[in-house]
Amino acid sequence: MPAQVPQADTFQRQFHQRWHHLHDPHVRALAWLLDSPDLLEPSAAQWAGRVATIASPLPNATLEWLAQLERTPASLHAYLAVQPFTRLGRYAEKLMAFYFEAQGILKAHGVQVRANKNDTVGEFDFLLQQGESLLHWEFATKFYLLEPSGVGQSADYFVGPNLADTLGAKMHKIFDQQLKLAQHPAAQSYLSQPVSLSQALIKGWLFYHDNDIHALQAPGVSARHCRGFWCELAGMAHLEAEYAVILPRLNWLAPARIAMDQALSRTVLQRTLTEYFAHDSMPVMVAMLECQGSTAIELTRGFIVPDDWRTRAGERIRLGVTGR
């Protein structure tokens, strides 16, 4: 089945319709974090109530706040400019911290817990004050590709593009380690009161080989999750969109909206990626675009991988998950 741009109503189309008035890339990224489907299903029995979610639909006050932020984004820009970002996870955390602070519920962010100066036990991503309760939220934005031989079998078959981890390994680390941090004796001196509930808020995208619409979801994954395709470099000829853009890592959150003169033709994209894969094996995220006058918007997205990536992904899965 070729990796085609679907014509049905995609998450991207819904996002562009809902947030057409947002142009600032940081405000758009924040809107995606707040409004996108969760990667995990909060009601799934296996999570035992430990999956957090942002209330949906967003209240009118939040919609108005985002619109005002679009008009005057200087406070957000200043908040993000405290330190340069090289990691997407830290950038997303900072956006969420800005939101929680604006909501008046941020007690602390990025609190490292140490047993002593040479022994770091862990880190609280967010401590949130909701009424009389103190909540601990772990937060992650993740991007995984389903290795086709594992369709419907396990979260371990969703592999990171760099082959460093899997969705299964990440869930194991969050639920079996990180969410237990508040129970550690060393954590008590960092808390103003006992933590009432520890939960994980997980956002992200999952990618399916050639946009396989028949791929079964792993247990506990939300049926509404954001999804895209992945294909080998040799399979790029099947991509139907005439224009595309290579997405830098910090632009992986919200659906792309760019000036048309930044878009690449399919021919230029193929040539660029062929040259890239001649000396690098890291998959590349691309957004397939639709032209709307002087603007191009994302219709779908996916990873283009080197032709041997699937073989290496299979080997990664068979070798097992480090530390499990």
Side-chain angles (χ1 to χ4, degrees):
M1 177 179 174
Q4 299 177 348
V5 176
Q7 298 304 310
D9 191 23
T10 63
F11 169 77
Q12 283 92 330
R13 290 188 185 278
Q14 296 170 14
F15 184 89
H16 294 310
Q17 291 169 4
R18 185 168 176 78
W19 303 106
H20 62 89
H21 56 293
L22 301 184
H23 301 272
D24 183 276
H26 303 303
V27 179
R28 285 172 60 82
L30 179 53
W32 178 84
L33 287 171
L34 298 179
D35 199 38
S36 62
D38 297 309
L39 198 57
L40 304 182
E41 175 52 57
S43 63
Q46 71 194 84
W47 307 130
R50 294 180 297 166
V51 171
T53 189
I54 302 293
S56 179
L58 294 176
N60 287 335
T62 301
L63 301 180
E64 294 169 2
W65 176 74
L66 286 167
Q68 179 59 42
L69 201 57
E70 166 68 25
R71 292 189 289 270
T72 55
S75 60
L76 175 59
H77 292 178
Y79 195 86
L80 295 173
V82 172
Q83 62 186 55
F85 294 100
T86 57
R87 292 176 52 197
L88 178 61
R90 289 299 185 187
Y91 170 64
E93 279 186 28
K94 196 69 173 179
L95 286 169
M96 289 302 298
F98 181 84
Y99 166 74
F100 290 139
E101 189 169 301
Q103 296 296 305
I105 62 174
L106 182 63
K107 191 76 173 180
H109 167 232
V111 178
Q112 287 197 345
V113 175
R114 303 177 187 275
N116 57 61
K117 67 177 182 179
N118 297 317
D119 182 11
T120 300
V121 176
E123 179 178 304
F124 289 112
D125 284 349
F126 294 107
L127 293 171
L128 306 176
Q129 191 74 47
Q130 293 196 345
E132 298 298 317
S133 299
L134 182 65
L135 307 183
H136 164 212
W137 276 20
E138 284 297 302
F139 173 66
T141 50
K142 305 306 293 183
F143 303 78
Y144 292 106
L145 293 71
L146 178 64
E147 202 284 315
S149 65
V151 170
Q153 296 184 33
S154 167
D156 288 327
Y157 286 87
F158 284 91
V159 186
N162 61 0
L163 305 179
D165 72 341
T166 67
L167 177 59
K170 184 62 178 178
M171 297 306 96
H172 172 77
K173 182 177 181 181
I174 289 176
F175 289 101
D176 295 343
Q177 299 178 39
Q178 292 171 295
L179 289 185
K180 295 181 179 180
L181 181 58
Q183 303 169 22
H184 196 284
Q188 306 316 305
S189 63
Y190 294 84
L191 300 172
S192 58
Q193 66 186 86
V195 167
S196 300
L197 182 63
S198 291
Q199 294 180 306
L201 179 66
I202 313 295
K203 298 287 186 173
W205 297 73
L206 299 181
F207 300 84
Y208 298 84
H209 191 239
D210 288 342
N211 215 17
D212 183 4
I213 61 173
H214 302 293
L216 300 176
Q217 68 186 64
V221 171
S222 170
R224 297 178 56 247
H225 68 269
C226 294
R227 60 185 294 154
F229 68 88
W230 70 267
C231 69
E232 294 85 353
L233 178 64
M236 279 189 60
H238 297 300
L239 298 177
E240 289 189 337
E242 292 298 324
Y243 297 98
V245 64
I246 295 173
L247 295 177
R249 184 175 293 270
L250 292 184
N251 293 350
W252 284 8
L253 301 179
R257 176 191 177 108
I258 65 170
M260 191 62 206
D261 59 11
Q262 296 177 323
L264 305 177
S265 68
R266 223 172 11 170
T267 301
V268 172
L269 177 65
Q270 176 118 28
R271 183 173 67 246
T272 301
L273 292 180
T274 299
E275 294 172 354
Y276 167 82
F277 285 128
H279 58 80
D280 203 314
S281 61
M282 179 66 183
V284 175
M285 174 97 78
V286 300
M288 311 310 295
L289 304 172
E290 176 181 81
C291 176
Q292 293 189 347
S294 61
T295 301
I297 62 170
E298 176 182 325
L299 288 180
T300 189
R301 64 169 57 190
F303 279 103
I304 310 300
V305 307
D307 293 336
D308 67 342
W309 186 90
R310 182 173 176 178
T311 299
R312 291 188 289 117
E315 292 172 351
R316 172 67 178 81
I317 292 168
R318 285 189 290 275
L319 286 172
V321 179
T322 302
R324 293 188 63 181

